[in-house]
Amino acid sequence: MSGISPYTSSDINLGLVGVGKIARDQHLPAIAATPNCHLVAVADPHAALDDVPSYATLDAMLDAHPEISAVAICTPTHLRYSQARAALLRGKHVLLEKPPGATLSEVEHLITFAGEQGVSLFAAWHSRFAPGVAQAKQWLAERQVQRVAIEWKEDVRVWHPGQAWIWQPGGMGVFDPGINALSIATEILPQPFFLRQAQLLVPSNAQTPIAAELAFTDPHGAVIEAAFDFRQTGPQIWDMHIDSDGSRLSLTQGGCRLEIDDELIIEAEEREYPGLYTHFVDLVANGRSEVDVAPLRQVADAFLYGHRETTDAFIE
């Protein structure tokens, strides 16, 4: 499809860059379910879709489809800056899969550049769109937190099969899922928090950690601890428990289940990505950008401040 778009001026004609597991599992269904968002073409040197025009590069896709108004970038982290900048340079709005870049400097430049180009940039922290997150934030807003315990443990073989890039510099290792927990924590906790200690367990043939133990505090001395592990077998764990003013808030199942003092408040199916794309359409319609670097900053602090230990675990 090329030439003049058949859609209205309020619609987003979308180009998707990267057609890997996260794009197929989450982005494509969410785009199909989002009113006013229409997939025009995809770009990936190693994959294609049967029913959508497919190109090897971002530039080839945009050359062939000038009607594309926005680009969603779902490639490995180290590729995102150059691809986002190329799309912004051509006046396209950009959605960045998490994390929005390999370094804070990259993301900060993209924020500035998007403003100069007059287009929207959205860092898509999808876990913030989990069903229980907004109400958890509201409940915690006027409370003083004493203790936070975060467990984010999943099986890398299930979620990233054969994806060697995740173990290379910029791939983040266990912080690829761990940053989802940090994106929720930085959203719902009423005070900023700061890293005090980190233990990073790195396989002998990898550059990024397979597990991490983190200790944070906030200005009031709260004890905030997080355990991330990519070696989980059996049930996957995406839980956080927050003690505040004599009460306990539990946000579990990745944010799909919210309990307060053992009373069930919310339990709903995961629909993060449809919420994410609905929000992106709204940002574009209102000429706004939304890029929060707080979760990425916490990861950068862990890599800077953490003590690295080598494990004999071998990444195949």
Side-chain angles (χ1 to χ4, degrees):
M1 183 168 57
S2 61
I4 298 175
S5 168
Y7 308 119
T8 68
S9 59
S10 62
D11 290 353
I12 287 180
N13 298 332
L14 188 75
L16 181 65
V17 185
V19 193
K21 188 176 189 298
I22 192 65
R24 294 175 186 269
D25 289 352
Q26 297 287 359
H27 286 261
L28 291 174
I31 293 165
T34 303
N36 306 109
C37 188
H38 311 281
L39 183 62
V40 173
V42 301
D44 191 313
H46 308 295
L49 299 180
D50 293 336
D51 55 348
V52 177
S54 301
Y55 301 88
T57 68
L58 166 67
D59 284 338
M61 180 182 72
L62 295 181
D63 287 343
H65 297 276
E67 75 275 22
I68 288 175
S69 56
V71 171
I73 297 178
C74 308
T75 52
T77 311
H78 67 282
L79 301 174
R80 291 179 191 160
Y81 170 79
S82 60
Q83 293 168 336
R85 188 180 186 282
L88 294 170
L89 187 62
R90 297 178 67 151
K92 312 301 182 183
H93 309 289
V94 172
L95 180 154
L96 289 162
E97 179 50 271
K98 63 84 190 171
T103 69
L104 288 165
S105 297
E106 288 182 351
V107 180
E108 288 166 353
H109 180 256
L110 291 176
I111 294 170
T112 301
F113 193 57
E116 293 170 352
Q117 296 298 111
V119 292
S120 297
L121 179 67
F122 179 35
W125 301 111
H126 62 82
S127 291
R128 290 180 174 179
F129 290 83
V133 170
Q135 194 160 337
K137 178 180 180 179
Q138 181 180 15
W139 187 84
L140 288 165
E142 302 301 324
R143 288 174 165 81
Q144 184 166 320
V145 169
Q146 281 84 44
R147 187 174 186 88
V148 181
I150 301 171
E151 266 193 297
W152 227 255
K153 299 179 179 181
E154 61 183 53
D155 189 343
V156 67
R157 294 162 295 189
V158 173
W159 301 100
H160 295 279
Q163 295 181 0
W165 60 266
I166 205 165
W167 304 113
Q168 299 166 2
M172 300 185 72
V174 76
F175 285 103
D176 184 80
I179 204 170
N180 293 333
L182 294 170
S183 75
I184 294 175
T186 53
E187 177 72 4
I188 69 174
L189 293 180
Q191 295 289 331
F193 56 94
F194 319 103
L195 187 72
R196 287 293 175 258
Q197 188 175 357
Q199 294 285 122
L200 310 181
L201 192 62
V202 182
S204 57
N205 67 331
Q207 299 297 311
T208 56
I210 198 168
E213 299 279 344
L214 310 173
F216 305 88
T217 192
D218 72 3
H220 300 294
V223 176
I224 303 170
E225 298 175 328
F228 304 151
D229 204 321
F230 245 161
R231 301 166 296 181
Q232 180 74 4
T233 58
Q236 310 290 275
I237 301 172
W238 304 296
D239 299 344
M240 61 181 64
H241 305 281
I242 303 171
D243 296 322
S244 173
D245 299 334
S247 294
R248 166 165 279 208
L249 179 150
S250 294
L251 194 60
T252 59
Q253 299 175 14
C256 289
R257 182 182 176 93
L258 173 65
E259 296 180 23
I260 298 176
D261 292 331
D262 296 323
E263 178 185 353
L264 180 62
I265 307 300
I266 293 173
E267 186 169 28
E269 292 184 1
E270 181 272 309
R271 286 185 54 81
E272 296 171 3
Y273 279 82
L276 182 154
Y277 271 95
T278 298
H279 190 59
F280 183 49
V281 170
D282 181 69
L283 288 174
V284 172
N286 289 282
R288 296 175 49 228
S289 290
E290 185 176 294
V291 185
D292 182 9
V293 299
L296 184 59
R297 184 182 294 116
Q298 295 289 0
V299 173
D301 285 353
F303 275 95
L304 177 67
Y305 197 63
H307 174 71
R308 297 169 66 96
E309 295 184 5
T310 301
T311 173
D312 291 335
F314 188 81
I315 303 302
E316 297 181 357

